[in-house]
Amino acid sequence: MQKKKLATVWLGGCSGCHMSLLDIDERILELAKLADIVKCPVVDGKELPEVDITLVEGSVTSDEHLHEIKHIRKQSKILVALGDCAVTTNITGMRNYFPLQEVFDTAYRNAVSNDHSGEVPNHPALLRLHDKVVPLQEVVIVDFVIPGCPPNADIIFYVLNELLNDRQPNLASVKKLKYG
Ligand code: SF4
């Protein structure tokens, strides 16, 4: 079987889902026989070529994320929502209960900090935050979801192994399915 191309991307999330991905430990070597990781926060690839599978952590919180997830959808044969933030917005979506300006001020003006300059960050991505955080399936078609916060490493391995072997994963078939 020809090796597949695998990518993982981090949108509005805490990186915990990627930490769980790393928790598959030495089993990454089994996956490496089946796929090349062409883009991932822990490897060097910056561009997303056409890929067979992309795992996406986190929800859509800004124009930047919206642009990125649409590009990911275009480039990926199979798009997997990795973790509860991608599937339901979860922790990231907690800010939906408050006005955006209040959230921004709490995080960047009023939070305890060692920076007493009074300056607020003006990174363009921050200035284009959306009023509401949304899960991936509200803006693109999602082919498979891996729930959990963070998702269980055994489940991540199972799903990747099935998809890379051209099989449809069935989470109900996994014994000891642990949520999170
Ligand atoms: S699902 Fe949990 S672990 Fe994953 S990005 Fe969200 S908060 Fe972090």
Side-chain angles (χ1 to χ4, degrees):
M1 192 191 303
Q2 199 184 355
K3 257 185 154 184
K4 291 187 167 54
K5 288 187 181 148
L6 174 66
T8 80
V9 178
W10 173 9
L11 300 182
C14 75
S15 88
C17 293
H18 272 83
M19 294 301 111
S20 258
L21 175 62
L22 294 178
D23 277 344
I24 68 177
D25 297 326
E26 71 280 0
R27 289 173 292 178
I28 193 91
L29 299 175
E30 289 178 48
L31 299 181
K33 290 179 193 156
L34 301 168
D36 291 321
I37 300 177
V38 295
K39 179 177 167 67
C40 172
V42 294
V43 302
D44 229 7
K46 302 283 187 280
E47 302 299 323
L48 180 66
E50 288 189 355
V51 293
D52 296 287
I53 302 165
T54 304
L55 303 184
V56 183
E57 168 188 328
S59 35
V60 178
T61 76
S62 64
D63 278 357
E64 186 183 24
H65 287 165
L66 185 59
H67 175 78
E68 199 169 352
I69 192 64
K70 286 186 172 171
H71 181 62
I72 291 164
R73 178 65 278 181
K74 210 170 110 213
Q75 298 294 89
S76 312
K77 287 186 192 148
I78 299 174
L79 192 159
V80 178
L82 176 65
D84 285 349
C85 288
V87 180
T88 69
T89 77
N90 189 36
I91 303 292
T92 315
M94 288 173 76
R95 80 160 164 85
N96 287 349
Y97 295 98
F98 305 94
L100 179 59
Q101 189 61 51
E102 192 178 325
V103 173
F104 189 91
D105 288 346
T106 300
Y108 295 108
R109 290 182 202 273
N110 305 328
V112 175
S113 168
N114 290 322
D115 179 0
H116 303 294
S117 68
E119 291 175 12
V120 295
N122 63 358
H123 188 284
L126 284 175
L127 301 178
R128 293 195 306 269
L129 286 173
H130 290 176
D131 282 342
K132 299 290 178 202
V133 173
V134 295
L136 304 189
Q137 75 269 10
E138 281 206 18
V139 287
V140 292
I141 292 173
V142 171
D143 300 303
F144 201 82
V145 301
I146 305 178
C149 178
N152 182 282
D154 294 342
I155 305 297
I156 297 173
F157 175 76
Y158 164 74
V159 170
L160 277 177
N161 195 41
E162 293 300 289
L163 292 175
L164 291 172
N165 281 293
D166 297 324
R167 295 188 294 261
Q168 179 69 11
N170 176 6
L171 293 186
S173 73
V174 183
K175 287 182 184 169
K176 294 187 192 168
L177 173 65
K178 292 185 205 144
Y179 184 78

